[in-house]
Amino acid sequence: MYRQMINLTKPSILMNIEQNQIEKHNDSLLTSHQRKLAFLKEDWAHVDLESVIQKLVDFQIAIPSWALGTGGTRFGRFAITGGEPRTIEEKIEDVGLLHALNGASGAISLHIPWDIPQNAGELKKLAAGYGLKFDAMNSNTFQDQAGSAHSYKFGSLQNVNKAIRKQAIEHNIEVIKHGIALGSDALTVWLADGSCFPGQLNFRKAFENTLESLQEIYAALPEDWKIFVEYKAFEPNFYSTTVGDWGQSLLYASKLGKKAYTLVDLGHHLPNANIEQIVALLLMEGKLGGFHFNDSKYGDDDLTAGSIKPYQLFLIFNELVEGMDAKGMNHAKDLGWMIDASHNVKDPLEDLLQSVEAIMIAYAQALLVDRKALNEAQDNNDVAKAQEILQNTFRSDLRAIVAEARLRAGAALSPINLYRDLAVRSNLVNHRGNTVATGL
Ligand code: LRH
Ligand code: MN
């Protein structure tokens, strides 16, 4: 059992999930789980399921610190029943809780200044107590901070005003310093920069200012760090975005150097974009850094991963497994796996448990695609056969394999049921009150 139980020593600890509670829960579900698993083992006897399950155990998805409370839109924010984390310590507690339940949420991704660490050493110890590490740090030059000298109304790294660019560069360097103290090894830069009307912006100058600014930030990166350039088609600017698509992000990352990569947020594409093809090409170029998983029907809806387009999520993982194996990459370590979601109508912790489950299922399906047969079908232009191979795996219920990985990691067979059976939310409310978290 690699994960320490949540300890009671810390006064702010409100909710602990004892190992015996997880074991009692698992015991109640074990017979049906083992029956389903035995059925799958028979069905997939031609595959090394043990290595698939081990890959699932090793696969960890970072939880965004800004998505542990209720999200909202410009039209409103309807808080859940309360119990939202008030401090960075309570956010780490909540991610620790998720990790105790599913064994697959072993990292938290912080957003500065929403989560400025006061005592990095203490935080590292607290996080380690839950088996958590600090994933990519996120800077924020899309909101003006109280007391800041300059406004980002007309952009940050692109801004025509050198002093404003300098302020944004210094902020990113500050974020790197926080990350170094926490043991993180990556910086995600998402820029809201762009324009709302034709004529407002000189696109070439905006690109050159942004690149020059990113080069200063890049120069401040420790040798073993990565910088993820996150692209987005629109919002909050609605005519142009200065890092607007994968091509522009790839251009920046290629001009910056070997520590720079692109970051794919699934909700940041124009309608009907073929994201799995984008992923395949960025991976081929060695410039895919990581993901912000979520789902969407229209814009940057930040909905639960796999809740709207589960087949697309599977097709993305299908390209990831094919592309990573082609490069001999380590699935769990060589790319940044993060969720970026916002919860307007669901309990944030339940929503995050569902997102992790959907991602693990898509990964399991991709690991079970018969690559040899698929390559043969592709080489023979046997289109129907190729589709059969993919859809056969997608239509297979592999939940017992994902559950088995949790069981072996010391987590719960059914995280969301245990979350409810232990009345975690009402415990949080009793302890924290009707609190609202910082973040989006
Ligand atoms: C921008 C984004 C970015 C974060 C923000 C919270 O839409 O995806 O990754 O900084 O959401
Ligand atoms: Mn994002």
Side-chain angles (χ1 to χ4, degrees):
M1 176 77 54
Y2 65 83
R3 206 180 44 262
Q4 278 164 303
M5 274 298 78
I6 294 182
N7 58 41
L8 283 176
T9 54
K10 288 214 171 305
S12 70
I13 296 292
L14 58 103
M15 179 80 209
N16 63 333
I17 298 182
E18 301 290 349
Q19 196 50 38
N20 62 9
Q21 289 175 309
I22 292 181
E23 277 152 18
K24 192 158 148 283
H25 160 85
N26 289 343
D27 291 349
S28 68
L29 298 170
L30 212 52
T31 314
S32 71
H33 168 66
Q34 285 167 338
R35 185 171 44 72
K36 289 179 192 143
L37 188 63
F39 179 75
L40 275 172
K41 283 188 171 169
E42 200 185 304
D43 227 22
W44 293 89
H46 59 289
V47 174
D48 172 8
L49 274 187
E50 280 307 310
S51 79
V52 169
I53 293 170
Q54 190 51 49
K55 281 196 169 80
L56 294 170
V57 170
D58 299 339
F59 198 80
Q60 298 294 316
I61 301 158
I63 305 295
S65 64
W66 60 92
L68 295 163
T70 308
T73 72
R74 57 186 168 164
F75 301 106
R77 180 183 189 163
F78 305 93
I80 49 171
T81 51
E84 295 185 13
R86 298 160 288 189
T87 62
I88 194 172
E89 287 79 8
E90 289 186 345
K91 289 183 176 187
I92 290 172
E93 249 173 52
D94 285 10
V95 177
L97 214 145
L98 293 174
H99 194 42
L101 289 169
N102 65 20
S105 309
I108 181 169
S109 183
L110 298 185
H111 218 299
I112 309 288
W114 294 334
D115 312 299
I116 295 180
Q118 300 313 325
N119 180 326
E122 275 299 307
L123 277 185
K124 269 181 95 171
K125 258 204 317 271
L126 178 67
Y130 297 117
L132 305 180
K133 70 176 185 59
F134 290 93
D135 209 298
M137 304 293 289
N138 298 268
S139 60
N140 178 342
T141 59
F142 51 86
Q143 293 171 328
D144 289 344
Q145 305 310 321
S148 60
H150 303 289
S151 168
Y152 296 132
K153 178 175 180 179
F154 296 110
S156 59
L157 302 185
Q158 77 168 22
N159 203 293
V160 294
N161 177 325
K162 192 167 180 53
I164 297 177
R165 298 201 298 273
K166 190 167 180 314
Q167 176 181 287
I169 293 165
E170 281 164 2
H171 164 70
N172 278 277
I173 294 173
E174 188 65 29
V175 174
I176 293 170
K177 290 196 183 107
H178 285 303
I180 293 167
L182 292 165
S184 171
D185 61 6
L187 169 69
T188 296
V189 177
W190 169 66
L191 301 172
D193 294 21
S195 64
C196 277
F197 296 95
Q200 174 185 342
L201 197 64
N202 177 308
F203 297 137
R204 181 176 47 72
K205 286 185 186 157
F207 183 94
E208 287 166 351
N209 287 343
T210 302
L211 178 61
E212 184 194 292
S213 305
L214 284 170
Q215 280 162 340
E216 285 193 47
I217 297 166
Y218 186 92
L221 290 174
E223 203 35 48
D224 63 345
W225 270 54
K226 293 178 176 177
I227 182 169
F228 298 147
V229 181
E230 182 177 2
Y231 60 87
K232 182 173 180 177
F234 65 91
E235 188 208 35
N237 276 295
F238 296 104
Y239 172 64
S240 77
T241 298
T242 301
V243 188
D245 62 22
W246 69 280
Q248 294 171 49
S249 174
L250 181 58
L251 207 49
Y252 287 109
S254 308
K255 289 176 182 288
L256 284 168
K258 66 179 180 33
K259 291 186 274 186
Y261 299 84
T262 62
L263 186 138
V264 178
D265 184 314
L266 301 194
H268 288 187
H269 300 83
L270 293 173
N272 309 321
N274 187 326
I275 303 176
E276 54 271 25
Q277 183 187 22
I278 293 170
V279 166
L281 299 181
L282 290 173
L283 199 47
M284 175 188 75
E285 286 300 293
K287 277 299 188 184
L288 177 63
F291 287 84
H292 279 180
F293 290 111
N294 48 54
D295 210 338
S296 52
K297 187 160 183 59
Y298 303 105
D300 188 18
D301 310 344
D302 279 344
L303 301 173
T304 319
S307 62
I308 307 290
K309 296 179 280 215
Y311 193 49
Q312 175 182 268
L313 187 61
F314 158 65
L315 293 175
I316 289 170
F317 270 92
N318 179 49
E319 293 302 333
L320 283 168
V321 169
E322 201 274 337
M324 288 194 286
D325 290 351
K327 282 181 173 285
M329 292 168 73
N330 175 306
H331 292 188
K333 298 206 172 354
D334 291 347
L335 290 180
W337 310 110
M338 296 162 275
I339 289 172
D340 181 0
S342 168
H343 325 286
N344 302 348
V345 292
K346 283 197 259 182
D347 177 315
L349 298 181
E350 290 191 349
D351 201 345
L352 290 163
L353 287 172
Q354 290 181 315
S355 277
V356 172
E357 173 79 355
I359 294 164
M360 298 302 277
I361 289 172
Y363 180 39
Q365 291 166 331
L367 288 170
L368 286 171
V369 167
D370 184 339
R371 302 260 148 230
K372 188 166 166 302
L374 181 61
N375 293 337
E376 265 165 33
Q378 289 166 341
D379 293 347
N380 303 332
N381 295 314
D382 186 343
V383 182
K385 175 75 176 166
Q387 184 174 326
E388 283 302 308
I389 291 164
L390 286 186
Q391 294 196 327
N392 174 43
T393 312
F394 178 70
R395 291 168 176 162
S396 303
D397 180 356
L398 304 177
R399 288 175 292 178
I401 290 176
V402 175
E404 177 63 16
R406 285 194 295 271
L407 191 63
R408 297 186 190 186
L413 279 169
S414 176
I416 211 163
N417 287 340
L418 184 54
Y419 176 87
R420 291 197 171 191
D421 296 349
L422 296 174
V424 173
R425 179 53 61 188
S426 48
N427 270 294
L428 291 169
V429 173
N430 297 344
H431 192 87
R432 294 174 180 169
N434 200 358
T435 50
V436 173
T438 55
L440 269 189

